[in-house]
Amino acid sequence: MSRLTLIVPDLLSPRGDSILGSLPPTLRQIVEQSTISKIAALPDTETPEALYLGMSPTEGQLRQGPLTVAALGADPPTDSTHFHLSLMAFEDGVGKQISLEIPIEELRAIEAQFERLNTRLLTIVKGTRVDHALVWEARGDLGTTPPPAVDGHPIRLHLPEGDGEPILWRLIDDSINLLSELELNERRIDAGLPPLNMLWPWGQGIRTPVPNLALRRGEPGYVWSSSLRLRGLSRLAGYRHLDGPRSEGINLKIEEIRSAAATHDPLIVVIDLFARLRAEERLDEAEWFLRELDSRLLKPFLKDVEGKSARLAILAPASHDVSDAGERRGLALEWEAQNPIDNSYPFDERSIDERLVPTRDLNALVSASLQPLSPRDGTG
């Protein structure tokens, strides 16, 4: 039995620059045997990733900090506040975001200083690259600013405000003083690179209850993505997260997804690459990547499940964007090896305006894709 759910945000275009006009061959074959639905516009929620796991819009709503702490495998005291802790550059009073591409030896040298920054109430949880976490063993009303809003601006304008602000200010100040003295930062500055010399807490929140989906559905579930947020939410929901590589490029390891699909059932795969390529207007690369998914994932998947019970769902929601006028809807297809149907609706933007194509919520589509399958002739 094999159930594969691919979630590909922003595969469809809101502006008419479609990459689905000429479908690659395997996807075209699947579409001809699938049920097509429209995906309702996503609600404006704190954690839209909860919908990717099949939760309702009111479930699994956590802020960035608790998601990061959970993703890094930490379980702090209940009465604590969790932060995402970003490694940034600090020069001449200004904060700057830095690239993910940092030599591993430099990262290890930075992380070796974390213990020196811990206090009785503050504990740093080591993460990966520029993403770490911070636990404050207290609670309070705080305001913080995420790194994109700090980037290129004086940090004094964006320091944490509210309960506990002095202790957080001191953490930021201590991190600047300690990390700036490292030899690696002297070398980086000499080479014209930004220093790695500031830890910035933001996204504060507490860990609120999340439904255990493994217990709710009576079986384990698996999630493959490059999202730290989804890793944390999956862990709290009782699902196992299979980490995809975090990258700023398009070198997504499709073979890793295929291997995961062959050994983990049911599997939810979230590919956010199309959203990023669309935002950067790199449509030629988006079309190329769609063909790669077709030949290196969809085609082998159909071959692997031949004669077996199998289900494939491709869910292409539109990202929530308050700058868009009106509702942005996505598109879904549902295919079952044991129940192919004769479909005449296209899997592209034209079906969004088709009155007879039903509209469904994303979380309902995900839940349906994870339902058990009936064995096919005893071979599933």
Side-chain angles (χ1 to χ4, degrees):
M1 183 164 63
S2 184
R3 291 161 289 176
L4 174 61
T5 302
L6 297 179
I7 301 178
V8 282
D10 291 335
L11 179 64
L12 276 70
S13 169
R15 299 184 299 269
D17 49 355
S18 177
I19 64 171
L20 300 172
S22 178
L23 294 179
T26 306
L27 181 56
R28 184 170 61 250
Q29 173 190 342
I30 292 170
V31 170
E32 291 171 352
Q33 301 176 342
S34 298
T35 300
I36 302 295
S37 305
K38 287 177 278 194
I39 302 176
L42 302 189
D44 185 9
T45 61
E46 181 76 47
T47 313
E49 294 89 347
L51 306 176
Y52 296 174
L53 302 183
M55 296 185 199
S56 75
T58 60
E59 296 178 316
Q61 297 303 304
L62 295 166
R63 300 208 65 208
Q64 179 72 42
L67 290 173
T68 303
V69 169
L72 300 181
D75 294 303
T78 302
D79 194 26
S80 60
T81 303
H82 305 177
F83 299 80
H84 190 106
L85 192 65
S86 294
L87 177 61
M88 299 183 67
F90 176 80
E91 293 182 291
D92 300 323
V94 173
K96 297 179 182 178
Q97 290 184 282
I98 51 181
S99 168
L100 292 175
E101 304 303 323
I102 304 170
I104 189 64
E105 62 273 12
E106 293 186 352
L107 291 170
R108 287 174 177 165
I110 295 293
E111 293 163 3
Q113 306 302 315
F114 286 177
E115 189 171 348
R116 297 177 63 185
L117 293 168
N118 290 339
T119 69
R120 184 177 63 84
L121 293 178
L122 291 180
T123 303
I124 296 176
V125 182
K126 186 175 75 172
T128 57
R129 298 194 177 276
V130 301
D131 298 309
H132 305 278
L134 177 71
V135 175
W136 176 37
E137 293 191 36
R139 291 191 182 181
D141 185 12
L142 268 167
T144 59
T145 305
V150 179
D151 191 28
H153 300 283
I155 67 166
R156 61 181 175 78
L157 302 178
H158 300 286
L159 289 169
E161 296 181 340
D163 300 332
E165 65 179 39
I167 195 172
L168 295 176
W169 291 4
R170 179 165 184 175
L171 170 75
I172 295 169
D173 190 55
D174 286 349
S175 72
I176 293 172
N177 292 333
L178 179 62
L179 300 179
S180 295
E181 294 178 354
L182 297 180
E183 184 180 345
L184 72 90
N185 278 321
E186 295 177 4
R187 292 196 303 267
R188 287 181 66 89
I189 292 172
D190 290 342
L193 297 173
L196 311 174
N197 64 341
M198 182 173 70
L199 294 172
W200 187 261
W202 61 280
Q204 73 284 351
I206 61 173
R207 181 180 293 184
T208 54
V210 172
N212 189 306
L213 299 180
L215 291 177
R216 175 184 289 181
R217 295 190 175 125
E219 63 176 340
Y222 304 89
V223 181
W224 190 101
S225 83
S226 60
S227 168
L228 194 66
R229 290 169 56 88
L230 198 49
R231 186 205 303 180
L233 187 60
S234 299
R235 176 174 177 260
L236 295 176
Y239 277 7
R240 181 182 170 192
H241 189 272
L242 313 172
D243 291 342
R246 300 196 70 201
S247 172
E248 295 178 322
I250 61 171
N251 57 339
L252 192 65
K253 297 181 180 179
I254 298 176
E255 280 69 28
E256 287 188 6
I257 303 176
R258 180 189 173 189
S259 176
T263 54
H264 297 85
D265 174 65
L267 175 66
I268 300 169
V269 175
V270 179
I271 300 175
D272 60 4
L273 188 58
F274 291 102
R276 188 162 74 244
L277 293 176
R278 281 200 177 280
E280 298 171 359
E281 298 185 352
R282 297 158 61 186
L283 296 183
D284 288 345
E285 291 172 88
E287 291 179 357
W288 172 83
F289 186 69
L290 180 61
R291 293 193 297 271
E292 291 294 294
L293 281 178
D294 189 82
S295 62
R296 294 163 55 195
L297 177 61
L298 297 180
K299 183 177 180 179
F301 176 80
L302 290 192
K303 183 177 180 180
D304 290 344
V305 302
E306 188 174 353
K308 302 177 182 178
S309 294
R311 178 185 295 129
L312 170 68
I314 301 179
L315 311 179
S319 298
H320 177 80
D321 188 343
V322 296
S323 67
D324 282 339
E327 289 190 345
R328 287 187 58 192
R329 291 172 291 175
L331 210 60
L333 71 77
E334 299 167 281
W335 174 88
E336 288 197 15
Q338 63 272 48
N339 187 32
I341 64 172
D342 187 15
N343 170 52
S344 59
Y345 294 115
F347 187 68
D348 61 37
E349 290 78 1
R350 290 173 292 173
S351 287
I352 295 295
D353 297 321
E354 174 54 58
R355 180 175 55 85
L356 296 179
V357 174
T359 299
R360 300 171 64 188
D361 291 330
L362 177 60
N363 57 297
L365 286 160
V366 173
S367 293
S369 73
L370 304 178
Q371 293 301 310
L373 287 163
S374 299
R376 181 178 182 179
D377 300 328
T379 61

